[in-house]
Amino acid sequence: MCAVLAACHLPSDARSPADCLTLLRGGFREVASERGARFLGKVEEATAGCRGGARAVRYRATPWVDWPNYWGTGDARSRGRRGTSEDRRGIEGALLDLEYQRLELIAFNLLDNDGTYEAYVQGRGSLPGPAIRTWPELRLAPGHASYAAVGGAGEQRCHGELVRYRTLTGICNDVSNPAMGATGQRFARLVDFDAAFPELGAEELARSRHGDRIGLMKPDPQRISRALLSRGSDGDYRKADTLNALAAFWIQFETHDWFSHLDEGRNGPGDRALFADEAAPRRFEAGGRSRLSRAPRTTRNSVSAWWDASQIYGFDATSLRRVKRDPGDSAKLLLVTAEADSPGYLPVLDARDPMNPAWAGQEATAFPDNWNVGLSFFHNVFAREHNAFVDAFRAQAQQSPLADCGLRDPDRPGELVRYRDVTSDQLFEIARLVVAAEIAKIHTLEWTTQLLYDEPLYLALRANWDGIFEASPLVSKVLAQVVGRLGTPSGGSRANQWYSVFATGPGIVGLESANHFGSPFNFPEEFVTAYRLHPLLPDVLELRRLGDPNVVRKRVPAVETVRGHATASLREAGLASWALSLGRQRAGALTLDNHPRFLQSLPVPVSRSRSGQVDVPALDIQRDRERGVPRFNELRRQLGLRQLTSFDDFVDQRLPPEAPERRLQLDRVRRLREVYGQHRCDATRPITTAQLAADGAGLNDCLGHPDGTLVDNVEDLDAVVGFLAESTRPHGFAISETQLSVFILEASRRLFSDRFLTASFRPAYYSDLGLRWVNDNGPDGKQWEAGQPNGHHQEVSPLKRVLLRALPELAEELRPVVNVFDPWARERGEYYALEWRPRPGAEADESFRR
Ligand code: HEM
């Protein structure tokens, strides 16, 4: 369908007008009700022609999604002719494709592991499964400290202090399902339970898919790490186009808020995964097939899944003991300083703090594992932000102690709360709410738009936060019609699909209630896999000094800035110089052959490994296998993406035959084949139920090749290796399209499910000042960048505002910076340019000479 139907008559190349007409006659595409009918990100020929002309049509034959070949979805060269609607057709077409993907992900990829899946499939009484809103499995258990407070054995419902702030363990975010998202709940799955744990060989299809070729150590993770993941030995690395080292540490900082499999940095005995369930799950019949009620094994998320800044504030009683409050003002976090005029730094863990011995000498914070100078940087910056909010609130309270501060006590909602009534403990909790929401906003609007640096994703992410009406009224109108054709919205999954679309109307902010799309919220295992982004890290950090920003003063091996060394490094150079250094240095590109060397032989406490070192990329692969993440090709099919039929599919067909980059990709294909091997295929062996061939037939071991052909063992490819091998990426994407599919669903869910980012995102919970602070990116009103970067009138970014408050000495350096995660000295140029060129004033920066 052409989003701007009326404008389809404006052609840019010979095919467009006829294509747009065909498209118009064909009407809207149905949203799939069977997995075999999924969209796969592939459109009809006429649709491609209407949205991107001959170029978009040409690449339809590849397995990769079509929208990146539409007009306007790349840099200036991708744009259609001026004065035509081509760019709009391309960009809005891309937004529609992404929304179809999201609808299908909601319909097919929500699999809860906490015991609710059977009800999701079968329904409860007359209620269709996806319309269920409360689950007995998410009640607090009798031994829980808040059991009686939420209603004990009767109906459980949170109230009073339990709903007023974010709770330590994340209980009561959903008032009627107290345990949802709380510390210790099980990770969900994005894939059919039967498709998980192929290594166990318990399932016929998995056995056909992989023969006897895979296992926990097959192919050998260490060999994969050395043969396919290693960076060159000279410390040099392949650099991300538009991401800096701050972006690398930011995402580690964030993942520590969302998920962890370890308990205080430890695995089970013998370094085995900490499984919650290992006994065979029950089966049930539904829709003519037998299904598992949960995955064959499950693990727990040892932190709260909510976007609650638990890496700073804590997620259980042990982590809370590391969170230090300021004895001088207990609404504040403790920052210590030797100098009177400095806000200071987080204190170091001391002997009374609960800690893994590996953490000795590093800062006291709730989530201390895998600590490094970048994490230290963000923890310190947000501790300062917390305290800045407390100061501003106190200043207001001093000025107008009797004024209504906007807060309400949930037990007495009719009564005003005056500034002077707010206790220090309450103010601490409000500051936490504000900081957590700011972080969610930075992540959604600033980090992700830089990670996925193109116009459709810029608009899509804004739509998640502010609403698609603002981003694109036309797309929202077309979507409403598409979904309208689904029938009445009373059916379960249909109700969710409706909701998803309408939620993109107002965005999360201002929604009347949270929504879980019919399945309790927790992150899936596959989400953790998609965030294994270790190649982002450089091996050597380039230290600069504020005042002399173009010169690299010192090259510091990253390994000398981890754990206890982080704290010393941070304090020695100071926060501002680290901001400058990590802001100017580029992150590593997320490709094969680019894992940091220091992580391949990371020193660890001897108890974890006899050699005293671990190979983290090898461990990444091993852990995914241990936790039953399907291998790459089946994961793609499960996510509604087209499968690969050979390693050659990884070569980007858009590159000219002689391009050096293409030769590099061909060499990688050769090495993938060497490590993963080939076999003679057997067309009688079906391998999946998740997808059908183009002719509607089932898929077999030959993946479309003639029976008996020698085929690549593409089925065995580990998910992370596949992500990194994906070189056909949408413009400006640091990650792959397969990872994006995981995020499309989860990036929405972690916002829409969270009461404090939807129904309770109100002054009654945040205070007037708090809400304004989040909406305006600070206490002093909205601020705007000069000009129109990438064609948009843009607010000064939320992280830039945070940095300017914490480190005002960065003002000059940050002035030209539009997105804090774009290398600070890079010229952003026009329309999503990726070139590595200095901005005015940074010509002397030595990184442009290399
Ligand atoms: C100096 C920096 C870093 C160090 C030393 C480090 C170290 C490690 C180690 C040792 C593990 C394995 C834990 C285990 O399963 O036993 C791990 C897991 C992981 N790392 Fe990193 N890492 C660093 C940076 C990053 C960054 C920048 C990211 C980007 C998102 C990242 C994402 C992850 C993820 C997603 C896991 C899996 C977590 C889980 O299983 O719950 N790490 N890291």
Side-chain angles (χ1 to χ4, degrees):
M1 130 202 32
C2 192
V4 194
L5 299 170
C8 284
H9 62 279
L10 293 167
S12 128
D13 62 38
R15 2 186 350 132
S16 293
D19 284 341
C20 290
L21 273 178
T22 312
L23 189 52
L24 194 54
R25 284 198 210 103
F28 302 142
R29 153 185 205 104
E30 297 291 327
V31 176
S33 51
E34 288 298 322
R35 289 191 305 174
R38 282 178 80 160
F39 160 53
L40 310 183
K42 308 299 291 182
V43 295
E44 298 291 324
E45 186 171 333
T47 313
C50 176
R51 294 173 179 174
R55 183 171 185 273
V57 172
R58 193 174 325 134
Y59 297 111
R60 282 178 63 249
T62 71
W64 313 103
V65 296
D66 285 330
W67 69 259
N69 300 315
Y70 300 165
W71 283 303
T73 61
D75 61 14
R77 287 166 300 183
S78 74
R79 301 193 79 165
R81 291 177 317 163
R82 267 170 193 275
T84 72
S85 65
E86 287 172 346
D87 280 356
R88 253 169 62 198
R89 276 146 53 189
I91 292 161
E92 302 205 335
L95 284 172
L96 277 171
D97 284 6
L98 290 163
E99 194 56 47
Y100 270 109
Q101 258 191 291
R102 184 157 72 136
L103 289 171
E104 292 191 356
L105 286 161
I106 290 170
F108 298 110
N109 295 87
L110 294 177
L111 291 95
D112 175 56
N113 246 332
D114 266 320
T116 70
Y117 180 65
E118 190 171 346
Y120 177 75
V121 174
Q122 307 271 49
R124 191 192 295 147
S126 61
L127 211 53
I132 296 173
R133 288 182 169 266
T134 49
W135 297 270
E137 292 82 2
L138 298 176
R139 297 165 58 87
L140 297 186
H144 195 284
S146 299
Y147 178 69
V150 299
E155 186 197 343
Q156 291 197 349
R157 200 173 164 77
C158 306
H159 57 88
E161 293 299 294
L162 283 174
V163 302
R164 199 166 177 181
Y165 314 111
R166 293 190 176 275
T167 57
L168 175 62
T169 59
I171 61 163
C172 291
N173 188 307
D174 184 307
V175 173
S176 325
N177 297 287
M180 191 190 297
T183 304
Q185 292 293 109
R186 289 169 183 78
F187 284 106
R189 304 293 319 208
L190 277 179
V191 300
D192 273 11
F193 294 140
D194 273 318
F197 293 92
E199 287 79 6
L200 296 178
E203 214 243 341
E204 183 66 39
L205 287 175
R207 287 198 296 275
S208 295
R209 199 155 60 235
H210 302 291
D212 58 0
R213 300 184 303 267
I214 64 164
L216 207 53
M217 293 296 168
K218 255 167 61 176
D220 179 9
Q222 200 101 39
R223 174 155 185 240
I224 294 170
S225 166
R226 302 290 147 171
L228 295 169
L229 305 180
S230 288
R231 226 171 237 176
S233 51
D234 54 0
D236 202 10
Y237 60 109
R238 190 174 169 133
K239 296 172 182 75
D241 291 320
T242 59
L243 280 184
N244 59 22
L246 278 178
F249 293 114
W250 172 269
I251 189 56
Q252 193 192 13
F253 175 66
E254 286 301 88
T255 61
H256 291 173
D257 180 354
W258 303 326
F259 57 76
S260 170
H261 282 85
L262 304 187
D263 176 19
E264 291 286 284
R266 292 190 192 87
N267 224 336
D271 202 28
R272 193 162 182 271
L274 294 161
F275 291 117
D277 308 278
E278 290 189 74
R282 230 171 20 77
R283 284 195 164 270
F284 65 97
E285 295 289 323
R289 66 182 174 107
S290 154
R291 301 176 192 234
L292 291 174
S293 54
R294 63 160 166 77
R297 290 176 181 167
T298 64
T299 60
R300 294 182 191 280
N301 188 348
S302 61
V303 301
S304 74
W306 302 114
W307 220 335
D308 56 0
S310 59
Q311 77 276 42
I312 301 174
Y313 297 102
F315 43 86
D316 62 10
T318 307
S319 58
L320 183 66
R321 284 171 55 202
R322 291 188 287 265
V323 181
K324 310 276 163 86
R325 309 261 288 257
D326 184 344
D329 178 351
S330 63
K332 289 188 173 177
L333 287 163
L334 177 61
L335 292 174
V336 289
T337 174
E339 302 130 46
D341 59 346
S342 157
Y345 294 94
L346 288 165
V348 170
L349 285 162
D350 67 44
R352 283 159 304 170
D353 293 319
M355 70 163 155
N356 184 322
W359 305 335
Q362 64 184 57
E363 287 100 319
T365 191
F367 194 103
D369 208 26
N370 296 329
W371 194 251
N372 56 56
V373 72
L375 290 177
S376 172
F377 174 80
F378 282 117
H379 275 267
N380 274 288
V381 163
F382 282 97
R384 289 189 184 186
E385 178 71 356
H386 175 106
N387 290 356
F389 178 77
V390 172
D391 281 336
F393 193 96
R394 291 225 184 276
Q396 190 73 47
Q398 189 141 35
Q399 212 180 6
S400 44
L402 300 178
D404 175 9
C405 70
L407 293 169
R408 293 295 178 267
D409 180 339
D411 284 339
R412 291 186 293 278
E415 285 177 26
L416 295 188
V417 177
R418 297 167 299 185
Y419 274 99
R420 72 161 189 208
D421 301 332
V422 179
T423 67
S424 293
D425 281 350
Q426 289 170 344
L427 184 51
F428 180 88
E429 297 301 342
I430 294 157
R432 176 186 184 166
L433 276 170
V434 169
V435 167
E438 275 189 296
I439 287 176
K441 187 173 181 186
I442 290 166
H443 190 84
T444 305
L445 295 183
E446 194 164 356
W447 187 82
T448 316
T449 56
Q450 197 60 36
L451 182 86
L452 312 170
Y453 189 54
D454 62 31
E455 179 71 357
L457 271 295
Y458 175 83
L459 295 175
L461 268 307
R462 290 219 78 82
N464 252 10
W465 193 268
D466 289 326
I468 207 164
F469 289 114
E470 194 173 302
S472 171
L474 269 162
V475 171
S476 67
K477 220 157 96 190
V478 174
L479 278 172
Q481 288 179 47
V482 170
V483 176
R485 287 162 53 94
L486 285 171
T488 52
S490 56
S493 64
R494 283 164 186 208
N496 285 307
Q497 288 164 348
W498 268 95
Y499 181 83
S500 163
V501 170
F502 288 123
T504 59
I508 51 152
V509 171
L511 285 183
E512 300 224 326
S513 66
N515 186 298
H516 313 303
F517 301 145
S519 186
F521 171 69
N522 209 315
F523 291 111
E525 292 281 4
E526 292 76 17
F527 182 74
V528 178
T529 304
Y531 273 115
R532 294 190 183 277
L533 304 179
H534 289 122
L536 286 174
L537 296 165
D539 273 287
V540 175
L541 300 178
E542 299 175 347
L543 198 52
R544 297 163 191 259
R545 202 173 59 201
L546 208 60
D548 194 7
N550 293 329
V551 179
V552 175
R553 301 243 142 212
K554 205 169 152 190
R555 295 181 203 281
V556 188
V559 71
E560 289 173 19
T561 64
V562 299
R563 307 203 187 96
H565 302 299
T567 309
S569 308
L570 187 87
R571 292 187 183 184
E572 196 184 312
L575 273 177
S577 287
W578 274 109
L580 166 73
S581 305
L582 301 177
R584 286 216 174 187
Q585 185 171 1
R586 280 195 278 177
L590 291 160
T591 64
L592 292 178
D593 304 329
N594 207 26
H595 264 78
R597 289 257 162 180
F598 82 97
L599 284 187
Q600 288 180 309
S601 50
L602 183 73
V604 289
V606 184
S607 61
R608 282 196 62 191
S609 128
R610 247 174 285 141
S611 66
Q613 294 187 340
V614 290
D615 180 336
V616 177
L619 198 57
D620 277 333
I621 290 167
Q622 189 188 324
R623 294 281 190 247
D624 277 351
R625 294 178 184 174
E626 222 172 355
R627 296 167 192 162
V629 174
R631 304 242 169 154
F632 179 73
N633 227 19
E634 178 64 10
L635 181 61
R636 275 183 68 85
R637 290 188 287 255
Q638 291 278 335
L639 289 170
L641 292 169
R642 189 173 279 181
Q643 65 173 10
L644 274 58
T645 59
S646 130
F647 290 132
D648 292 320
D649 282 333
F650 281 124
V651 177
D652 187 347
Q653 297 304 317
R654 299 169 299 188
L655 291 170
E658 286 313 311
E661 180 61 29
R662 190 174 182 122
R663 282 208 294 275
L664 189 75
Q665 291 174 15
L666 283 166
D667 178 59
R668 288 181 181 155
V669 165
R670 184 186 55 74
R671 281 182 289 132
L672 283 167
R673 204 163 274 144
E674 219 168 85
V675 173
Y676 283 92
Q678 294 183 305
H679 72 282
R680 293 241 166 252
C681 72
D682 177 352
T684 64
R685 282 165 36 195
I687 57 164
T688 187
T689 54
Q691 203 171 103
L692 298 173
D695 61 2
L699 296 172
N700 64 53
D701 183 45
C702 286
L703 297 171
H705 304 285
D707 194 17
T709 311
L710 190 64
V711 295
D712 288 339
N713 294 339
V714 62
E715 291 304 320
D716 303 348
L717 189 66
D718 291 274
V720 168
V721 182
F723 297 159
L724 297 172
E726 277 181 62
S727 42
T728 311
R729 296 185 187 183
H731 177 85
F733 264 45
I735 58 165
S736 69
E737 70 168 42
T738 312
Q739 283 161 297
L740 174 72
S741 300
V742 174
F743 298 151
I744 288 177
L745 186 55
E746 299 309 319
S748 313
R749 261 163 86 66
R750 68 188 167 200
L751 293 171
F752 295 135
S753 273
D754 192 324
R755 178 167 58 86
F756 289 106
L757 295 171
T758 51
S760 297
F761 187 68
R762 293 192 274 130
Y765 294 86
Y766 281 74
S767 77
D768 285 331
L769 178 66
L771 202 71
R772 226 175 336 113
W773 192 291
V774 179
N775 283 334
D776 296 352
N777 300 332
D780 32 12
K782 287 191 188 296
Q783 293 174 16
W784 298 90
E785 290 293 349
Q788 297 218 332
N790 291 332
H792 298 284
H793 192 38
Q794 291 197 30
E795 270 189 80
V796 177
S797 81
L799 184 54
K800 179 165 162 180
R801 298 280 300 276
V802 169
L803 289 184
L804 288 171
R805 275 191 290 279
L807 301 161
E809 62 271 39
L810 287 175
E812 185 52 30
E813 175 69 19
L814 281 175
R815 201 179 32 77
V817 172
V818 174
N819 186 311
V820 171
F821 299 114
D822 201 351
W824 290 4
R826 188 179 86 93
E827 169 59 50
R828 265 165 93 87
E830 59 168 328
Y831 202 71
Y832 300 98
L834 306 182
E835 278 76 32
W836 184 239
R837 281 189 290 124
R839 64 163 168 75
E843 293 84 356
D845 184 322
E846 56 189 274
S847 65
F848 292 99
R849 275 183 258 132
R850 277 179 269 134

